[in-house]
């Protein structure tokens, strides 16, 4: 059985010097955002390529933080830029006694110089791979939960449609008998061929016959169940299309059938169909 992945996932991993966090949310396309120390930016594209190989869509956030300073780097101040800022503020306020240090948080006064260390780079890549594997596992587990939920809803929808289908032949006979009685009552003083009256009543009953709509809705529901059982070449968009077709058939059914119980059953089916559609939005 092919794996089904949820669009939402979360994972964390810690190594000696780093903390990794990967999380994702529902999104129509694949968008990847990184937040990591500047001196490791050259690895961003490598990590992004790895994500693109495994993930088709979703909004993904990757955060890599330092949790230790046990590796070779130097922290320097950009003295030239700092001096220019001091002169600038003195021009604005010659009597300035205190420098607004809050500006340092927004400008590039701090320079990180990192000496590439093979051990540190290996730790960074290994930590990311471990976190990414956990992330994929979380999406898979969530996808499996959604599969079970959707299958349960789809089977309930199928059972409801089967009950509606069972009632329709009886309803058709009742409608035929009622229309035949009305025609005979209206034209009781005229001579009409019984076969002709039966034909007219049958034509009227046929116009309100909704068996085809129920059968098509059943077929679409069965395809959804089959997709989630086998999950071969699974596409969430295809399931979304099938739910739209089911809704169209149920709307036509409601226009044709006037019996209260069947109309209420159709509303229940629409609600179940909408639940399937909402859950499918969370699948890759």
């Amino acid at each position: 059985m092919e794996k089904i992945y949820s669009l939402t996932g979360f994972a964390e991993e810690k190594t000696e010097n780093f903390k990794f966090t990967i999380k994702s949310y529902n999104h129509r396309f694949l968008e990847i955002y990184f937040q990591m120390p500047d001196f490791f930016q050259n690895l961003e594209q490598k990590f992004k390529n790895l994500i693109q190989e495994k993930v088709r869509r979703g909004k993904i956030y990757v955060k890599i933080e330092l949790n230790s300073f046990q590796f070779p780097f130097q922290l320097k101040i950009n003295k030239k830029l700092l001096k220019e800022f001091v002169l600038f503020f003195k021009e604005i306020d010659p009597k300035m006694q205190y420098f607004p240090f809050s500006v340092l948080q927004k400008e590039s006064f701090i320079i990180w110089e990192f000496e590439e260390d093979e051990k540190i780079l290996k730790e960074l890549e290994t930590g990311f791979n471990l976190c990414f594997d956990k992330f994929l596992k979380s999406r898979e587990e969530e996808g499996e939960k959604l599969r079970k939920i959707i299958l349960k809803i789809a089977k309930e929808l199928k059972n409801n449609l089967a009950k509606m289908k069972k009632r329709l032949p009886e309803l058709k006979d009742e409608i035929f008998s009622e229309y035949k009685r009305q025609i005979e009552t209206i034209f009781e003083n005229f001579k009409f061929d019984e076969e002709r009256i039966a034909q007219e009543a049958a034509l009227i009953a046929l116009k309100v016959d909704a068996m085809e709509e129920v059968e098509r809705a059943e077929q679409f529901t069965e395809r959804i169940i089959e997709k989630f059982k086998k999950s071969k070449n699974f596409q969430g968009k295809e399931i979304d299309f099938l739910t739209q077709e089911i809704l169209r058939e149920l709307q036509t059914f409601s226009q044709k059938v006037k019996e209260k119980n069947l109309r209420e059953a159709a509303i229940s089916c629409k609600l179940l169909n909408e639940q399937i559609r909402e859950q499918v939005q969370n699948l890759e």
Side-chain angles (χ1 to χ4, degrees):
M1 183 182 291
E2 186 178 323
K3 296 176 181 178
I4 293 178
Y5 292 96
S6 168
L7 288 175
T8 57
F10 178 82
E12 282 186 335
E13 181 67 33
K14 285 185 179 180
T15 62
E16 182 181 355
N17 296 299
F18 302 100
K19 178 183 177 182
F20 303 84
T21 305
I22 305 177
K23 54 186 176 181
S24 66
Y25 302 96
N26 191 339
H27 195 61
R28 290 180 62 191
F29 308 104
L30 178 60
E31 292 184 6
I32 306 171
Y33 300 92
F34 276 86
Q35 183 180 346
M36 59 193 296
D38 291 341
F39 42 86
F40 292 127
Q41 291 293 330
N42 59 323
L43 289 173
E44 180 178 322
Q45 190 58 49
K46 183 176 182 179
F47 292 157
K48 186 175 287 187
N49 291 340
L50 181 61
I51 293 173
Q52 289 172 338
E53 288 176 5
K54 301 286 186 178
V55 180
R56 288 184 294 196
R57 68 187 186 99
K59 187 172 286 188
I60 299 175
Y61 295 90
V62 180
K63 187 176 183 180
I64 302 175
E65 303 172 90
L66 302 175
N67 62 13
S68 172
F69 294 96
Q70 303 300 317
F71 58 91
F73 75 92
Q74 290 183 340
L75 178 63
K76 293 184 177 181
I77 302 296
N78 190 334
K79 294 181 180 179
K80 182 180 178 182
L81 183 61
L82 183 59
K83 185 177 180 180
E84 290 177 358
F85 259 78
V86 171
L87 292 173
F88 172 75
F89 279 105
K90 280 189 175 181
E91 287 180 8
I92 297 174
D93 183 7
K95 297 181 180 181
M96 182 185 73
Q97 296 180 350
Y98 301 100
F99 180 76
F101 286 96
S102 59
V103 177
L104 296 177
Q105 300 174 5
K106 301 180 181 179
E107 300 297 336
S108 303
F109 291 101
I110 299 175
I111 302 173
W112 297 87
E113 291 187 353
F114 171 69
E115 296 179 11
E116 287 199 5
D117 183 285
E118 187 175 338
K119 182 181 177 182
I120 293 297
L121 293 176
K122 186 176 181 181
E123 178 190 343
L124 188 63
E125 292 191 40
T126 301
F128 176 82
N129 288 333
L130 288 172
C131 188
F132 186 55
D133 287 342
K134 285 183 179 179
F135 169 74
L136 291 177
K137 186 67 176 176
S138 73
R139 282 165 60 101
E140 181 186 342
E141 290 172 353
E142 188 64 26
E144 186 58 32
K145 290 178 184 177
L146 288 172
R147 181 210 300 269
K148 292 177 180 177
I149 291 171
I150 294 171
L151 268 174
K152 183 179 178 181
I153 298 171
K155 287 177 180 178
E156 185 178 351
L157 174 59
K158 183 182 176 183
N159 291 336
N160 286 4
L161 289 169
K163 292 176 183 177
M164 291 163 62
K165 184 178 178 180
K166 185 178 180 181
R167 167 65 181 143
L168 284 176
E170 299 173 358
L171 179 63
K172 184 179 178 181
D173 291 340
E174 291 172 9
I175 292 172
F176 170 78
S177 299
E178 177 60 22
Y179 277 118
K180 185 173 181 294
R181 185 190 65 78
Q182 290 180 16
I183 293 171
E184 288 174 341
T185 301
I186 294 170
F187 298 101
E188 61 181 348
N189 296 324
F190 298 88
K191 290 184 179 180
F192 276 96
D193 183 11
E194 281 292 325
E195 186 176 343
R196 178 62 186 276
I197 293 175
Q199 287 177 354
E200 292 297 328
L203 285 172
I204 296 172
L206 187 62
K207 290 180 180 179
V208 294
D209 182 18
M211 182 63 77
E212 287 186 10
E213 284 73 19
V214 174
E215 288 179 343
R216 282 196 291 266
E218 269 190 320
Q219 291 170 6
F220 293 136
T221 305
E222 187 59 44
R223 282 177 63 182
I224 291 175
I225 293 172
E226 194 70 15
K227 281 287 181 182
F228 278 97
K229 281 184 176 179
K230 294 184 177 180
S231 304
K232 189 176 181 181
N233 299 322
F234 179 85
Q235 290 286 339
K237 291 181 180 179
E238 181 181 355
I239 306 299
D240 188 55
F241 169 76
L242 290 172
T243 58
Q244 291 178 34
E245 292 301 306
I246 292 171
L247 178 60
R248 186 177 290 110
E249 299 300 338
L250 289 172
Q251 287 174 335
T252 306
F253 176 91
S254 297
Q255 291 171 359
K256 285 186 174 183
V257 177
K258 304 303 178 184
E259 186 183 75
K260 181 181 177 182
N261 291 340
L262 281 175
R263 288 175 69 87
E264 289 178 352
I267 291 172
S268 297
C269 288
K270 288 179 184 178
L271 291 173
L272 291 170
N273 185 61
E274 180 62 20
Q275 288 176 28
I276 294 173
R277 194 191 68 81
E278 288 177 354
Q279 294 294 343
V280 168
Q281 301 300 317
N282 296 317
L283 292 176
E284 188 175 63

